[in-house]
Amino acid sequence: MADAQPAPLVTHLRHVALAVPDLAAQRRFLREVWGLTEVADDGDLVFFAAEGSPERYVMRVRRDAAKRMDLVAFGAPDRAAVDALTERLIAANIPLVGEPATLRTLGGGYGVRFFDPDGRVVEVSCDVVDRTHRRIEEREGIPVRISHCVVNSPDPARLRTFYETVLDFRLSDTLWSERMGDLMYFLRCNPQHHSFAIARGPHPSLHHVSFEMRGLDEYLRGTGRALRAGTPLCWGPGRHLAGDNTFSYFHDPHGNTVEFTTALAILDQDHWHPRVHDAENPEIQDQWGTADPFTELIAKGQFNDPDVLFTPPPI
Ligand SMILES: [Fe+2]
């Protein structure tokens, strides 16, 4: 099908913001084990960039007694897109956190925040000032950029419809099992196979945040560094079929899952037809055969704690 659609309102994933009780432990992990760079710190709020990415930051961590995902942020091409999205949200009776406005966070910009149908906070912004970034060198096992964010939802079909119809995401593939039905929807907002995905889970929560490494060697070096630091490995290393990307899933100090990945498929969007992949097939889960077989225990490790819903973060 020729791409006759207007330009999508969402262009890419910008960052994921978390709140955690032990900020010092989270900081140490993200900096020393995960390989992100701290770019700003105001005591209770710390911003982390990926060295290879022009995004001002790819992760924000806030100190709070209650662990939660504060928000997930996507980019929009311009102010007109943010305003058009806001009109769509209002027409769809989606509650806004506030009217579109100048952002008070690092890099500024213009954006709107709202609650998706599960109640998590989503931000869509434009005109955020870029960061001076650099090329990641050969054998340098640190993230080039944020790759994708996956959330758990007890009603993944409803959530998928929302992200498709209101935010212009498109379905790339579905993970399915005969016993459980649809397990994961991979959604794209650009030629990357997925920037966002929705997993079936018992409650709304963060499933995982993924970081793209330069290549296979750098992905394995990052994986090894995390292993040597004693980081709990939940699954991997392996290579998924859907998206063709590699995976090493670890738990951060607060039980959120973070992933090192590389080689995520770039789609020819004009000719791509979404497929349904059987999750029970080990070749689907891991083409290499290096990861443990996917079990219920691994799935549970990615359910995370129930999130705080319909409550905006203080910043
Ligand atoms: Fe992933």
Side-chain angles (χ1 to χ4, degrees):
M1 186 179 73
D3 199 355
Q5 302 176 16
L9 294 184
V10 166
T11 52
H12 65 293
L13 174 65
R14 275 196 195 285
H15 59 262
V16 173
L18 304 174
V20 298
D22 190 346
L23 182 61
Q26 192 75 13
R27 270 175 101 157
R28 208 177 315 117
F29 171 76
L30 290 176
R31 209 175 44 212
E32 288 163 28
V33 178
W34 211 247
L36 298 179
T37 302
E38 239 178 70
V39 287
D41 158 26
D42 82 347
D44 284 337
L45 194 67
V46 186
F47 296 84
F48 294 88
E51 279 297 308
S53 165
E55 279 304 313
R56 200 59 192 255
Y57 58 100
V58 294
M59 189 160 259
R60 189 189 93 179
V61 186
R62 183 175 63 82
R63 188 200 314 270
D64 198 312
K67 169 191 163 183
R68 63 172 287 181
M69 178 165 99
D70 272 350
L71 59 86
V72 55
F74 298 103
D78 50 30
R79 291 172 78 102
V82 172
D83 291 339
L85 171 64
T86 305
E87 277 173 31
R88 277 194 203 175
L89 292 165
I90 291 167
N93 285 317
I94 295 296
L96 301 182
V97 173
E99 294 292 319
T102 301
L103 298 176
R104 295 181 293 134
T105 40
L106 192 66
Y110 177 77
V112 63
R113 286 184 184 179
F114 55 91
F115 299 108
D116 79 6
D118 276 356
R120 69 180 58 75
V121 179
V122 180
E123 177 183 287
V124 177
S125 64
C126 65
D127 296 344
V128 177
V129 177
D130 277 355
R131 172 175 186 271
T132 307
H133 57 294
R134 66 174 177 87
R135 179 191 157 92
I136 301 299
E137 301 297 334
E138 244 179 74
R139 305 190 180 205
E140 200 180 4
I142 62 171
V144 175
R145 61 178 180 83
I146 194 169
S147 171
H148 55 272
C149 168
V150 181
V151 297
N152 288 305
S153 174
D155 193 347
R158 177 183 70 157
L159 207 59
R160 171 192 154 187
T161 301
F162 169 76
Y163 279 88
E164 283 178 329
T165 56
V166 181
L167 273 75
D168 289 343
F169 277 86
R170 285 191 265 173
L171 183 73
S172 291
D173 279 316
T174 300
L175 210 54
W176 166 95
S177 90
E178 190 161 9
R179 198 164 51 88
M180 304 274 293
D182 289 351
L183 293 175
M184 194 178 286
Y185 298 119
F186 297 93
L187 301 174
R188 70 181 186 277
C189 54
N190 57 44
Q192 292 161 32
H193 179 273
H194 57 284
S195 295
F196 189 64
I198 299 164
R200 181 180 297 283
H203 46 247
S205 60
L206 175 65
H207 185 285
H208 72 270
V209 188
S210 181
F211 297 84
E212 175 87 16
M213 309 299 262
R214 184 181 193 268
L216 284 177
D217 179 82
E218 293 77 12
Y219 149 79
L220 280 175
R221 284 172 190 269
T223 299
R225 184 178 61 247
L227 288 172
R228 275 194 182 145
T231 317
L233 175 76
C234 18
W235 196 29
R239 187 164 196 162
H240 294 309
L241 189 73
D244 202 28
N245 56 313
T246 69
F247 61 91
S248 298
Y249 297 99
F250 292 94
H251 277 156
D252 76 7
H254 290 87
N256 299 300
T257 306
V258 283
E259 176 187 32
F260 281 141
T261 191
T262 195
L264 183 69
I266 303 296
L267 305 188
D268 171 0
Q269 298 196 86
D270 288 350
H271 298 102
W272 182 258
H273 298 286
R275 297 163 299 180
V276 176
H277 293 290
D278 185 350
E280 306 288 336
N281 179 351
E283 303 277 338
I284 299 286
Q285 295 284 19
D286 177 19
Q287 302 179 63
W288 286 344
T290 48
D292 285 339
F294 188 76
T295 59
E296 221 152 283
L297 198 67
I298 294 171
K300 279 188 182 147
Q302 299 182 326
F303 285 163
N304 213 336
D305 300 309
D307 224 332
V308 176
L309 302 173
F310 293 107
T311 310
I315 181 152

